[in-house]
Amino acid sequence: MDPLHRKPDSLAVRLRELGARFAERCLVDLATLERGLGLLRAGDLNATAEIEAIAHRISGTGATLGFPEISDAAAKLEREAGPSRIPDVDRLALALAELRTAVAREGQKT
Amino acid sequence: MASEALQHVLYVDDEPDIRLVASMALGLDTTLRVDTADSGEQALALLPALQPDLVILDVMMPGLDGPSTLARMREDPRLESIPVVFMTAKAMPDERERFLRMGAAGIIPKPFDPMRLAGQVTELWARLPD
């Protein structure tokens, strides 16, 4: 491992870099989630699995990198898309809209 | 175990950014060797040769998840005695109990604080019986 990684200040710098990358990637993920929602509206129930997986990743990574609002919104979307629920497109759309708002608001801080 | 210093950890997580952060965070302990794997399958392939002191497994992974990976380890005489710690966002008490009954040596909740992770792991290690 790069010895620089072993210093807390270097870790903080890398966390900021990763945070900026995460915020950019969220925009790409939002587009993918929108497509998934479109597929679901068209009757493809398998789309929920991809929505759940992406939301899970956003939630976990966001929480670790210091984006609690994005993480919480993604966790809500993950729950809505989870296997224990019958897919409700309107609820998913609402959760996705909340995630989009969170990304717009919190993603600007990077 | 607790009488010996923790020297070598395998960290397993499917999310590249989380894996990188965890690897760097654990590396803040300069005495620790940290290897990573991106899946339960890769971990099982690496473990016989690596023989780390401790394995840290993300619970939710595609393919072999954390609990399934632990179950496979316990079926393999080469890996059965390596302690496993789970990392999970589902750290509710009933889930904790379930993971401990499976044989997990401990649970670290997600999200983790990168500045504290190495200390948390070292503390868990120190509490393990010899």
Side-chain angles (χ1 to χ4, degrees):
Chain A
M1 176 178 284
D2 178 351
L4 287 175
H5 288 169
R6 295 182 182 276
K7 297 179 181 174
D9 55 347
S10 174
L11 176 57
V13 169
R14 288 305 304 274
L15 286 172
R16 281 197 294 276
E17 291 171 358
L18 286 168
R21 198 172 78 184
F22 168 75
E24 288 175 12
R25 188 174 172 183
C26 277
L27 299 175
V28 177
D29 285 335
L30 282 172
T32 308
L33 289 165
E34 292 283 4
R35 278 198 298 277
L37 194 62
L39 288 171
L40 195 59
R41 283 190 201 282
D44 181 359
L45 296 181
N46 293 326
T48 54
E50 187 182 15
I51 292 172
E52 183 190 14
I54 293 172
H56 176 74
R57 172 165 50 74
I58 294 173
S59 177
T61 307
T64 302
L65 294 178
F67 296 85
E69 192 180 344
I70 292 174
S71 176
D72 289 349
K76 183 175 178 183
L77 179 61
E78 181 187 0
R79 284 193 299 275
E80 292 293 345
S84 61
R85 285 182 186 268
I86 298 168
D88 182 325
V89 176
D90 291 335
R91 289 174 67 101
L92 280 163
L94 186 60
L96 181 53
E98 289 176 16
L99 176 59
R100 195 181 307 109
T101 302
V103 169
R105 191 156 44 214
E106 210 168 36
Q108 288 178 344
K109 75 180 186 181
T110 61
Chain B
M1 293 161 205
S3 58
E4 297 173 16
L6 178 63
Q7 294 180 320
H8 185 190
V9 170
L10 177 67
Y11 180 85
V12 189
D13 198 308
D14 61 305
E15 294 301 334
D17 285 349
I18 301 290
R19 209 165 52 241
L20 176 60
V21 171
S23 171
M24 291 164 54
L26 290 167
L28 291 175
D29 179 343
T30 56
T31 66
L32 206 54
R33 173 184 165 187
V34 183
D35 286 304
T36 62
D38 62 12
S39 66
E41 290 87 345
Q42 189 184 36
L44 291 173
L46 292 172
L47 277 166
L50 286 178
Q51 291 291 324
D53 297 324
L54 184 73
V55 177
I56 303 174
L57 282 174
D58 183 32
V59 167
M60 277 190 73
M61 292 187 287
L64 272 185
D65 61 10
S68 302
T69 306
L70 172 59
R72 294 276 189 94
M73 287 177 63
R74 293 298 176 255
E75 293 167 358
D76 186 332
R78 298 168 299 172
L79 312 177
E80 64 182 353
S81 63
I82 301 174
V84 168
V85 169
F86 281 141
M87 289 193 86
T88 180
K90 296 181 175 177
M92 301 300 284
D94 56 336
E95 285 286 276
R96 273 186 77 90
E97 283 306 310
R98 190 168 72 85
F99 295 144
L100 293 172
R101 278 199 305 274
M102 284 176 191
I107 291 117
I108 295 176
K110 273 184 162 183
F112 59 86
D113 178 347
M115 297 302 180
R116 290 190 57 241
L117 182 62
Q120 281 178 285
V121 171
T122 305
E123 284 169 23
L124 264 173
W125 175 259
R127 288 203 299 267
L128 292 180
D130 282 317

